[in-house]
Amino acid sequence: MTKIPAHFAGSKVKLGCMWDLALVDCNAATMVGGYGILRDAVIGIADGRIAFVGARDGLEPARETRHLHGAWVTPGLIDCHTHLVFGGQRAGEWEMRRQGKSYEDIARAGGGILSTVRATRAASEDELVASAMRRVAAMARQGVTTVEVKSGYGLDLATEEKMLRAAGRLECVPGGVRVSRTFLGAHALPPEFKDDREGYVDLVCNAMIPKLAPLADAVDAFCESIAFTPEETERVFAAARAHGLRVKLHAEQLTDQGGAALAARFLALSADHLEHLSEDGIAAMAKAGTVAVLLPIAFYFLRETRKPPVAALRAAGIPVAIATDCNPGTSPAASPLMALNMACTLFDLTPEEALLGMTAHAAYALGLEDETGTLEVGKSADLAIWDISEIAELAYWIGADLLKSRIFQGRSL
Ligand code: DI6
Ligand code: FE
């Protein structure tokens, strides 16, 4: 940080330094405790961090001042649950489903998650990066500055590692993005272990987690009647914790397996989906501080009818996050703004709750709350600048081009 030039020395000193950039003539939604609106705000950025957020006083000690003409500034959006690295796509399968074929028919014909596993195993790391980059770039064009990416379409050590490496390389998207990587080895049973469930869980716990821990920020599992049992999930979580990794869980998506309460016992960062969440699960999550991640696009795409218990989550004071769940089977979606809209229209969140769910609360779901998710002094300067006149427009428009520009770690394109 450089010293303040003499002509600023007597002014209200902001962090005692010269800023690299001042954003002025803007409205800020800081997302601290709600929208946290500041009108006619100034945002100062120095060394890639937020150095000041507050009212304009006419003196901005900055090398560059950008006039935003009344645009809105929010924290960069955080998509805290995606499976966006994968080989191929499953539009043909979806077309068959539209013609009346059931998920089971398709699985018997070699479709479903395992068809994506085959395509992901066959793809090179460069091919995975190239296809995923298009999805991350689309998200960045909607203001995303942090994205979580899960493995789980490899189901063998080499391919899970390839997926996690590919995910890390997505940080090079134009303008940059922060990638939080989650190991999801317990996503489905691979064909070579179809008669040996225990053998596969052993492989995940004893070989994959120890080897892949340095490439992952967290460990996830799919606890479901068609995937892994609570007992199997518990083994995976114990191995994760033994290697110093936090956990999160696909819980209560199709049935109530008691997954949320299990996740809470391991102080999980989040429990995700939650359409079939019970009162016990809610109480356990509230006690553990586990975030509820809701995925309305998957709910829509699967034409589910049972909604997550939003009113009960609210009453229990559980932070709710919203994410795209971008994946080829149940949510072929690279649109965080669409997820905001659907969180309101399908799950009855307010636009303010939805936006909190893709900023402050999403940061908590990734353990990144000290780094990003709000406009507060000291956090990474991850910002989205929007061409809107009212903040609720972010959840209101469908398919509109709202982003004016994006700043990641203090830098814009
Ligand atoms: N839940 C889901 O909805 C996706 N994975 C998961 O654990 C489905 C992924 C797929 O069908 O490819
Ligand atoms: Fe998912």
Side-chain angles (χ1 to χ4, degrees), residues 72 74 76-77 138-144 337 383-388 394 400-407:
W72 280 84
T74 66
L77 300 186
M139 289 177 173
R141 287 194 295 274
Q142 293 200 346
V144 167
L337 296 180
L383 277 53
I385 304 171
W386 306 97
D387 200 355
I388 52 176
L394 292 183
D401 183 13
L402 305 180
L403 191 77
K404 215 171 150 80
S405 62
R406 196 177 68 104
I407 296 180

Side-chain angles (χ1 to χ4, degrees), residues 195-360:
D195 301 316
D196 184 12
R197 302 184 61 84
E198 200 181 339
Y200 184 63
V201 178
D202 286 345
L203 183 73
V204 168
C205 296
N206 303 333
M208 293 190 187
I209 289 178
K211 177 83 197 299
L212 300 178
L215 294 179
D217 302 292
V219 169
D220 193 349
F222 189 16
C223 182
E224 191 49 72
S225 50
I226 55 164
F228 293 89
T229 65
E231 293 70 31
E232 291 162 343
T233 302
E234 190 161 352
R235 286 190 59 203
V236 172
F237 279 3
R241 298 298 280 150
H243 286 82
L245 290 169
R246 300 287 303 268
V247 298
K248 31 185 51 249
L249 189 64
H250 281 73
E252 276 72 286
Q253 180 183 6
L254 307 170
T255 56
D256 179 12
Q257 300 282 317
L262 167 63
R265 277 212 302 288
F266 282 84
L267 299 180
L269 290 164
S270 69
D272 304 36
H273 284 289
L274 303 175
E275 280 83 347
H276 295 259
L277 180 62
S278 68
E279 278 175 26
D280 288 351
I282 292 174
M285 287 175 67
K287 203 156 155 233
T290 298
V291 176
V293 177
L294 307 184
L295 305 163
I297 305 183
F299 172 91
Y300 155 80
F301 196 75
L302 291 171
R303 300 172 74 165
E304 296 284 346
T305 50
R306 178 157 166 161
K307 300 181 186 193
V310 167
L313 290 168
R314 213 182 260 137
I318 295 174
V320 171
I322 302 298
T324 61
D325 198 17
C326 178
N327 78 72
T330 63
S331 188
S335 174
L337 296 180
M338 174 68 92
L340 290 184
N341 178 276
M342 287 189 177
C344 299
T345 53
L346 300 177
F347 290 169
D348 302 315
L349 267 71
T350 66
E352 184 177 34
E353 288 172 325
L355 191 56
L356 273 171
M358 223 175 246
T359 53

Side-chain angles (χ1 to χ4, degrees), residues 81 83 90 93 103 112-113 116 153 184 187 221-222 250 253 273 298 302 325 327-331:
H81 179 140
H83 311 244
R90 307 222 299 266
E93 175 183 310
Y103 196 78
I113 291 185
T116 299
Y153 289 121
L184 176 57
H187 191 196
F222 189 16
H250 281 73
Q253 180 183 6
H273 284 289
L302 291 171
D325 198 17
N327 78 72
T330 63
S331 188

Side-chain angles (χ1 to χ4, degrees), residues 124-155:
S124 69
E125 185 179 309
D126 285 349
E127 286 166 344
L128 292 180
V129 172
S131 67
M133 198 60 101
R134 292 172 61 195
R135 298 184 268 278
V136 173
M139 289 177 173
R141 287 194 295 274
Q142 293 200 346
V144 167
T145 50
T146 299
V147 62
E148 185 257 15
V149 180
K150 300 176 197 296
S151 68
Y153 289 121
L155 312 181

